[in-house]
Amino acid sequence: MRAETIGGGATGPATPSRLEPAALDRIFHKGRTYNAFLDRPVPDALLHEAVELAVQGPTALNSLPLRVVFLRSAAAKARLEPALAEGNRAKTMAAPVTAILAYDLKFYDHLPRLFPHVDARARFAGSEAAATATARTSGTLQAGYFILALRSLGLDAGPMGGFDNAKVDAEFFADGRFRSNILVNIGYGNPEGLHPRGPRFAPQEIAEIL
């Protein structure tokens, strides 16, 4: 799903091509937050592939703090339900899969493997504040990559807050190492439940080039 490469040839490297309009529409322009999904199972392989894509995006010092728990079974969803805001319960319990996206507060333990050319672990091991800030920022970046990865693979996503983080952490991350960030309902979206797309800013309203 890529357009023709522009430029290049024997005298230099090719200019990277743009994604085709249909791909950009799928990922961005027509991508929506779904609250209802079709009765169609989501293969485990696609969930794993979405994670594999999400970890390719940049993070601070290649820290990769994102951690994901997929809830598919009724028993697993029942553990989550008490933490959900009332408005999120029905749609979450009905979704084919719900992902808890969390971040690892001790991501720095993996830095000797992930960022081996510098002793980056020492920057965070003695500073809880620095470790938490980096884990949250890069973990949230990866959550965005994950949503775009789902769309790229033909799945739809319903990312949301509206839950009690402390309850989720106590139920699923009792050792305190991981901290919940957002939830994402996953499946094949039912367009019948969509409202008209909300307005967006024009680039000139929110960006400047200096």
Side-chain angles (χ1 to χ4, degrees):
M1 294 188 53
R2 296 183 69 86
E4 268 186 39
T5 299
I6 301 172
T11 59
T15 301
S17 60
R18 290 172 58 99
L19 289 177
E20 294 178 356
L24 293 174
D25 280 347
R26 171 67 188 164
I27 299 170
F28 295 104
H29 299 299
K30 295 182 180 178
R32 299 295 303 276
T33 295
Y34 278 84
N35 292 312
F37 297 89
L38 301 174
D39 185 15
R40 181 179 171 189
V42 176
D44 288 356
L46 281 184
L47 299 177
H48 291 155
E49 190 174 357
V51 174
E52 182 180 16
L53 290 173
V55 300
Q56 305 307 315
T59 56
L61 302 173
N62 197 37
S63 53
L64 303 178
L66 176 70
R67 303 294 180 264
V68 185
V69 177
F70 291 110
L71 309 180
R72 185 194 296 281
S73 69
K77 292 282 194 73
R79 294 172 59 192
L80 177 65
E81 186 175 12
L84 296 172
E86 184 60 35
N88 287 336
R89 287 185 181 177
K91 65 182 180 181
T92 301
M93 301 306 286
V97 179
T98 299
I100 303 173
L101 303 188
Y103 48 85
D104 184 356
L105 294 170
K106 294 187 178 180
F107 66 89
Y108 49 80
D109 285 343
H110 301 285
L111 288 179
R113 170 190 172 193
L114 300 175
F115 204 73
H117 50 288
V118 173
D119 181 16
R121 184 185 183 282
R123 303 185 193 180
F124 302 103
S127 175
E128 181 179 351
T132 299
T134 299
R136 182 189 302 113
T137 299
S138 286
T140 302
L141 270 176
Q142 289 190 283
Y145 305 148
F146 177 73
I147 293 165
L148 298 183
L150 293 171
R151 292 177 177 178
S152 300
L153 296 172
L155 294 166
D156 294 299
M160 58 188 175
F163 66 97
D164 188 322
N165 294 76
K167 287 183 178 180
V168 170
D169 294 347
E171 180 64 32
F172 292 94
F173 312 123
D175 67 359
R177 175 163 181 150
F178 301 161
R179 187 168 293 172
S180 59
N181 193 1
I182 65 172
L183 304 178
V184 183
N185 289 332
I186 302 168
Y188 297 93
N190 185 347
E192 293 182 2
L194 291 175
H195 299 291
R197 186 180 178 89
R200 296 297 193 269
F201 287 115
Q204 295 81 0
E205 294 182 271
I206 59 173
E208 61 179 327
I209 300 174
L210 303 178

